Amino acid sequence: MSIIMWAVIAIAIVIAAVLLTPVSLHAKGCLANQKNFQGEIG
């Protein structure tokens, strides 16, 4: 196989690994008189 084909396969594997990784996002905010925001990505 050519180098370009191996590069395409490697990129596809990396993209699949990123998409299959579980990611959760929790956020809290207040829009009244205070400007508070707390966020967490884990």
Side-chain angles (χ1 to χ4, degrees):
M1 293 181 117
S2 68
I3 295 175
I4 295 173
M5 182 62 84
W6 282 112
V8 170
I9 292 172
I11 291 171
I13 291 172
V14 169
I15 291 173
V18 169
L19 291 177
L20 293 175
T21 303
V23 175
S24 63
L25 174 65
H26 302 281
K28 259 194 253 190
C30 180
L31 294 176
N33 293 329
Q34 301 176 359
K35 294 181 180 176
N36 287 338
F37 181 80
Q38 294 178 341
E40 176 183 332
I41 298 175

